[in-house]
């Protein structure tokens, strides 16, 4: 090895305490940042997968008819073509769900709350019973046509108990106001802000309330055997449907910066007119494209932490190396006298810094990976408010290798910047000055 | 033949608001292969003069000629190269590199600069030097495991490893007891004869100057006596031998 690099390495091991201290500071910073990166890396996949559960599908098909005054009516009247296309696509389908939904106001003893209610065919959606654990009541009570399952928070806000009758106000698909009655059949475990997405009623009753026929519905959800195949399955189902039914274009480009592709699609739809039902195919990824912004925000936060934390650490490193420079001033003088050029003295310090940074950063990543492994062993259960960001009730992590490598490079560069000034001072010393100052 | 010549060399150090004139106009000529002592009490300017001869510092006025060539106009990188190629250094406090062992400390100068020595040849030469300074059993030891005398022996081997024309030793015995100091000087003298390397050592100890061929005595930054083999020596190298003369 290069002599100067070799000496730099040995200087690090000579002052073990100091090296361990500085290295640990770097490792700690890298560990924090790596944990955030790892969390962000798994975040979007977990959220998408959990939303797929909530919305009962990875790929969705909804129908829209033009009603009176060109008002959009959301309905699927006959799904033979859809079912055929799904079957023909060869996509790895786990099951298909048929749902109608409305957003309305629940009223109980003077208390009101707005929520979304999903009408599901519970004979078909047996998985829902396993997925959504009830704290009170039972799924069996859903035999009752007007039965309703609410999440804990909403039930508490209404102050309603299992067996209570709850009034509901909503609009039909054609825009008429309507009222109905539900009986609270079950209360599910708290799901935080997603509780509002988790009110379930019988499809046939929801259809009645919003003015659809019993065998009609609004959205077909196609649950695949995993998130990964979503886009390819969507593409082949879409290809199978083209020609057979009226279809909205897919993947409308984001025209205005703030819009998601999904919003852009909705805007485009309201500008057109057509006869009969026109279908729209979309995926969980399109609905959750905002998740990407959250991930980006997390990564930005990690980057800011990286920089702030490291500016602090770098101040420490810079000061330490200034002290180190004075401690080794005699050695510097000796080396210069023996024929080491200025650049050699500078590189000795820079090598030392880079080795320190690399060692610390790699240790930090290893510690973070171990921590991730341990954290992901804990089972938080599916009935905790943060379930949406978890994978089967476990916190999960994915560290993109490029990001980890990028962090290491950033640390190494910052460390180089931190020691640039002491290294420069050491290089600038004349050998006579350095030799004289030594004692 | 003159190998080092100082011509009216002055060195002034700024010290706060005042200027300290450490060397006040010194001229002398050093012959190749001599064993030279620069003697004088503490503060007389010995280190300052050796630093200028060793090209680790530059005079305020005057000129230092090395092998007949003036050195005052050279840039830092050229001075460094010249130090590496023509000079060896022995220090009062030994100045070994603490993280390197005996063998590596001696090898160190060979790893600098551009010329590379063959591996076998290098090993043979370093082993020879280690034997010469009597440290064959200590090659793998770190400096902090050695006595002062042993450290100075390593330093002597290190100073010789590049086969320099001149070895400079600033009070090489000052940190040693007198018996050890004598041995070190004997060793330097022996090498001086064997390799015909010019040795210049400084000392404030009047008793050890007798070993030298050429004694230059200093006081308050001036030469008070310049004697070579019992004869007064000329302040300048004879013309024709030095480019500056
Ligand atoms: N860097 C410096 N700044 C100011 N004065 C110095 C410096 N170096 C040496 N001196 C002064 O110069 C004089 C000669 O010093 P030096 O060459 O070290 O003498 P010696 O080696 O003979 O003891 C002394 O008075 C010393 O104090
Ligand atoms: Mg001195």
């Amino acid at each position: 090895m290069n002599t100067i690099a070799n000496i730099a390495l040995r200087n690090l091991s000579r002052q073990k305490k100091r090296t361990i201290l500085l290295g640990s500071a770097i490792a700690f910073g890298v560990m924090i940042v790596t944990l955030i990166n790892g969390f962000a890396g798994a975040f979007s996949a977990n959220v998408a997968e959990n939303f797929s559960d909530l919305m009962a599908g990875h790929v969705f098909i909804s129908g829209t008819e033009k009603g009176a005054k060109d008002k959009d009516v959301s309905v699927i009247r006959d799904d033979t073509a859809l079912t055929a296309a799904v079957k023909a696509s060869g996509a790895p389908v786990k099951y298909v769900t048929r749902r109608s939904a409305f957003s309305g106001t629940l009223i109980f003893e003077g208390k009101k709350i707005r929520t979304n209610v999903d009408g599901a065919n519970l004979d078909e959606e047996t998985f829902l019973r396993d997925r959504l654990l009830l704290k009170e009541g039972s799924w069996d009570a859903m035999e009752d046509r007007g039965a309703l399952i609410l999440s804990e928070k909403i039930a508490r806000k209404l102050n309603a108990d299992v067996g209570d009758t709850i009034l509901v106000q909503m609009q039909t698909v054609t825009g008429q106001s309507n009222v109905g009655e539900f009986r609270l059949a079950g209360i599910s475990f708290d799901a935080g802000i997603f509780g509002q997405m988790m009110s379930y009623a019988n499809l046939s009753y929801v259809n009645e309330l919003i003015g659809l026929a019993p065998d009609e519905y609004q959205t077909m959800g196609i649950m695949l055997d995993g998130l990964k195949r979503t886009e390819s399955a969507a593409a082949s189902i879409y290809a199978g449907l083209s020609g057979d039914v009226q279809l909205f274009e897919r993947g409308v480009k984001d025209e205005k910066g703030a819009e998601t592709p999904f919003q852009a699609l909705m805007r485009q739809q309201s500008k057109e007119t057509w006869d009969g039902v026109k279908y729209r195919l979309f995926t969980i990824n399109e609905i959750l494209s905002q998740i990407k912004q959250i991930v980006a925000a997390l990564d930005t936060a990690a980057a800011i932490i990286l920089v702030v934390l490291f500016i602090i650490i770098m101040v420490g490193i810079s000061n330490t190396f200034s002290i180190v420079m004075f401690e080794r001033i005699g050695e510097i003088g000796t080396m210069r006298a023996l024929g080491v050029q200025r650049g050699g003295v500078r590189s000795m310090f820079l090598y030392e810094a880079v080795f320190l940074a690399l060692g610390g950063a790699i240790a930090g990543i290893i510690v973070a990976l171990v921590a991730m492994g341990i954290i992901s062993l804990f089972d938080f259960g599916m009935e905790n408010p943060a379930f949406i960001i978890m994978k089967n009730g476990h916190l999960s992590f994915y560290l993109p290798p490029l990001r980890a490598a990028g962090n290491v490079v950033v640390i190494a560069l910052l460390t180089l910047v931190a020691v640039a000034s002491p290294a420069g001072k050491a290089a600038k010393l004349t050998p006579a000055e350095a030799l004289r100052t030594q004692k | 033949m003159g190998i080092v010549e100082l011509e009216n060399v002055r060195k002034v150090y700024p010290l706060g608001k005042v200027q300290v004139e450490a060397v006040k106009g010194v001229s002398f000529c050093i012959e190749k292969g001599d064993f030279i002592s620069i003697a004088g009490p503490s503060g007389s300017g010995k280190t300052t003069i050796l630093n200028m001869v060793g090209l680790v510092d530059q005079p305020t006025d005057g000129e230092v000629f090395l092998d007949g060539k003036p050195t005052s106009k050279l840039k830092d990188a050229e001075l460094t190269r010249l130090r590496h190629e023509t000079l060896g250094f022995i220090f009062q406090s030994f100045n070994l590199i603490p993280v390197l062992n005996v063998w590596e400390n001696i090898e160190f100068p060979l790893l600098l600069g551009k010329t590379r020595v063959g591996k076998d040849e290098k090993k043979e030469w370093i082993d020879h030097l280690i034997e010469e300074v009597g440290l064959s059993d200590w090659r793998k030891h770190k400096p902090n495991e050695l006595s002062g005398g042993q450290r100075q022996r390593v330093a002597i081997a290190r100073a010789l490893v590049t086969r320099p024309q001149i070895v400079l030793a600033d009070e090489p015995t000052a940190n040693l007891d007198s018996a050890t100091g004598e041995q070190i000087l004997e060793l330097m003298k022996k090498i001086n004869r064997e390799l015909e390397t010019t040795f210049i050592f400084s000392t404030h100890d009047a008793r050890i100057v007798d070993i030298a061929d050429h004694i230059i005595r200093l006081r308050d930054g001036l030469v008070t006596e310049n004697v070579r083999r019992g004869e007064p020596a000329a302040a300048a190298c004879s013309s024709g031998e030095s480019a500056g003369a």
Side-chain angles (χ1 to χ4, degrees):
Chain A
M1 202 197 334
N2 171 329
T3 325
I4 297 293
N6 185 1
I7 290 178
L9 204 57
R10 294 198 198 181
N11 276 334
L12 278 177
S13 74
R14 163 158 62 143
Q15 263 139 354
K16 288 204 178 58
K17 232 190 213 161
R18 182 152 65 201
T19 302
I20 288 172
L21 212 68
L22 290 178
S24 309
I26 293 174
F28 175 77
V30 171
M31 183 195 74
I32 298 288
V33 170
T34 306
L35 282 174
I36 298 176
N37 288 153
F39 179 74
F43 181 87
S44 68
N46 289 350
V47 171
E49 205 60 279
N50 288 318
F51 262 95
S52 299
D53 270 4
L54 282 179
M55 301 181 66
H58 292 100
V59 180
F60 303 92
I61 304 170
S62 68
T64 310
E65 243 180 26
K66 283 290 176 186
K69 293 184 197 158
D70 266 357
K71 185 172 173 13
D72 290 340
V73 176
S74 169
V75 63
I76 295 175
R77 299 206 190 274
D78 174 4
D79 65 4
T80 27
L82 307 187
T83 315
V86 171
K87 201 167 259 168
S89 72
V93 179
K94 258 195 352 208
Y95 45 78
V96 171
T97 62
R98 295 168 176 82
R99 286 188 181 181
S100 294
F102 65 81
S103 170
T105 308
L106 301 178
I107 305 164
F108 180 71
E109 290 182 346
K111 296 200 172 60
K112 290 182 179 183
I113 189 160
R114 267 195 86 78
T115 184
N116 204 69
V117 177
D118 263 33
N121 186 337
L122 290 165
D123 295 331
E124 265 179 25
E125 295 195 27
T126 49
F127 65 92
L128 197 55
R129 291 169 180 251
D130 307 325
R131 176 67 187 77
L132 196 67
L133 301 176
L134 295 188
K135 198 172 181 187
E136 289 169 41
S138 100
W139 283 103
D140 296 337
M142 290 303 283
E143 308 263 298
D144 178 2
R145 210 168 98 84
L148 178 69
I149 306 264
L150 287 179
S151 82
E152 190 176 357
K153 211 171 238 160
I154 293 190
R156 292 283 163 271
K157 276 194 181 142
L158 287 172
N159 205 10
D161 286 319
V162 169
D164 286 338
T165 300
I166 295 171
L167 210 66
V168 60
Q169 282 182 338
M170 90 297 292
Q171 290 196 332
T172 65
V173 286
T174 53
Q176 258 85 65
S177 294
N178 198 5
V179 287
E181 271 182 5
F182 280 120
R183 259 168 54 79
L184 190 54
I187 297 172
S188 62
F189 280 94
D190 184 24
I193 55 167
F194 301 102
Q196 305 215 334
M197 292 185 61
M198 296 173 67
S199 307
Y200 296 98
N202 282 305
L203 176 64
S204 59
Y205 188 55
V206 170
N207 277 346
E208 185 186 316
L209 289 174
I210 63 175
L212 295 185
D215 60 342
E216 294 174 340
Y217 62 101
Q218 292 181 309
T219 307
M220 174 184 274
I222 299 145
M223 188 71 99
L224 304 170
D225 67 2
L227 187 65
K228 284 205 182 86
R229 308 279 293 272
T230 301
E231 292 309 317
S232 62
S236 56
I237 294 170
Y238 189 86
L241 283 173
S242 334
D244 293 348
V245 296
Q246 302 186 80
L247 271 176
F248 286 103
E249 225 177 286
R250 277 207 72 206
V252 175
K253 284 285 166 292
D254 195 349
E255 289 173 30
K256 296 179 186 168
E259 272 182 326
T260 65
F262 187 68
Q263 288 167 328
L265 188 70
M266 296 296 283
R267 195 167 43 76
Q268 186 211 35
Q269 167 181 328
S270 65
K271 284 191 294 204
E272 294 178 32
T273 57
W274 62 89
D275 290 325
V277 180
K278 190 163 176 175
Y279 295 95
R280 197 152 56 82
L281 185 140
F282 53 99
T283 66
I284 193 77
N285 296 331
E286 287 162 44
I287 299 170
L288 298 180
S289 62
Q290 272 150 325
I291 292 295
K292 291 208 180 75
Q293 293 169 16
I294 296 177
V295 171
L298 276 173
D299 282 337
T300 308
I304 291 171
I305 291 174
L306 182 83
V307 169
V308 170
L309 209 56
F310 277 92
I311 285 174
I312 297 168
I313 295 172
M314 292 314 148
V315 169
I317 289 183
S318 185
N319 287 340
T320 308
F321 271 81
S322 296
I323 296 166
V324 168
M325 188 205 105
F326 280 105
E327 283 176 358
R328 299 215 196 117
I329 205 153
E331 276 166 62
I332 295 168
T334 307
M335 289 184 179
R336 293 284 282 119
L338 296 184
V340 175
Q341 296 283 2
R342 292 205 151 131
V345 171
R346 182 183 286 109
S347 0
M348 184 171 67
F349 281 91
L350 297 184
Y351 272 124
E352 207 167 320
V354 166
F355 290 145
L356 184 68
L358 290 182
I362 289 167
I365 289 176
I366 291 172
V367 171
L369 289 175
V370 170
M372 287 175 192
I374 293 171
I375 292 170
S376 57
L377 290 180
F378 290 107
D379 189 351
F380 293 93
M382 291 307 282
E383 56 280 357
N384 83 80
F387 82 95
I388 201 82
I389 58 169
M390 299 190 182
K391 189 173 185 175
N392 300 324
H394 294 264
L395 278 172
S396 76
F397 301 89
Y398 170 68
L399 181 63
L402 265 181
R403 190 163 289 280
N407 288 343
V408 174
V409 171
V410 169
I411 300 321
L413 289 179
L414 283 175
T415 313
L416 279 179
V417 171
V419 297
S421 146
K425 276 185 203 146
K428 236 166 127 185
L429 284 170
T430 72
E433 279 173 311
L435 285 169
R436 168 159 32 89
T437 322
Q438 66 177 310
K439 287 134 218 167
Chain B
M1 177 184 152
I3 189 164
V4 174
E5 180 174 5
L6 264 64
E7 190 183 75
N8 288 322
V9 165
R10 273 194 346 122
K11 180 71 185 180
V12 178
Y13 293 112
L15 186 71
K17 288 200 180 98
V18 296
Q19 307 266 316
V20 179
E21 194 174 9
V23 175
K24 303 173 176 167
V26 163
S27 301
F28 58 71
C29 174
I30 283 168
E31 300 293 329
K32 193 171 178 175
D34 270 2
F35 199 70
I36 301 105
S37 170
I38 298 196
S42 178
S44 58
K46 303 183 294 295
T47 298
T48 305
I49 284 177
L50 278 184
N51 280 349
M52 291 185 291
V53 173
L55 307 180
V56 297
D57 210 352
Q58 296 219 283
T60 311
D61 285 313
E63 186 64 84
V64 175
F65 297 93
L66 212 61
D67 221 0
K69 293 184 228 15
T71 58
S72 62
K73 300 274 184 325
L74 298 178
K75 294 198 189 77
D76 182 82
E78 294 163 326
L79 291 169
T80 305
R81 190 178 48 74
L82 211 54
R83 280 199 300 274
H84 180 244
E85 286 169 3
T86 58
L87 300 167
F89 290 87
I90 297 168
F91 303 92
Q92 177 178 335
S93 34
F94 324 128
N95 292 25
L96 301 179
I97 295 168
V99 294
L100 302 180
N101 66 29
V102 167
W103 206 91
E104 290 165 334
N105 260 291
I106 297 170
E107 179 198 26
F108 182 76
L110 290 181
L111 302 174
L112 307 171
K114 295 219 165 55
T115 45
R116 285 283 168 271
V117 191
K119 210 177 165 189
D120 292 337
E121 187 192 338
K122 179 172 91 176
K123 194 179 170 311
E124 204 173 304
W125 173 231
I126 294 173
D127 285 345
H128 170 76
L129 287 173
I130 288 184
E131 207 161 309
E132 188 83 356
V133 299
L135 288 174
S136 298
D137 297 336
W138 300 84
R139 328 165 171 254
K140 292 276 176 270
H141 287 73
K142 289 275 169 68
N144 61 6
E145 297 160 347
L146 305 179
S147 70
Q150 287 172 321
R151 290 184 206 189
Q152 202 59 303
R153 287 165 186 274
V154 179
I156 291 170
R158 179 179 67 181
L160 293 167
V161 77
T162 53
R163 303 174 204 264
Q165 297 184 56
I166 306 155
V167 170
L168 298 164
D170 190 11
E171 306 210 34
T173 61
N175 282 354
L176 302 172
D177 61 70
S178 54
T180 313
E182 223 162 276
Q183 287 168 13
I184 289 293
L185 275 182
E186 289 297 341
L187 178 62
M188 282 167 47
K189 177 85 188 168
K190 178 172 155 244
I191 291 163
N192 159 251
R193 279 192 304 264
E194 284 175 10
L195 299 177
E196 291 177 355
T197 308
T198 310
F199 268 79
I200 308 173
F201 77 97
S202 70
T203 182
H204 64 267
D205 185 347
R207 290 168 302 170
I208 63 172
V209 299
D210 298 341
I211 193 173
D213 307 312
H214 183 172
I215 302 165
I216 299 168
R217 288 189 201 277
L218 297 177
R219 178 173 291 274
D220 295 335
L222 287 168
V223 175
T224 56
E225 193 186 344
N226 185 358
V227 182
R228 182 167 182 263
R229 303 189 208 282
E231 307 268 322
C237 299
S238 45
S239 62
E241 287 178 1
S242 168

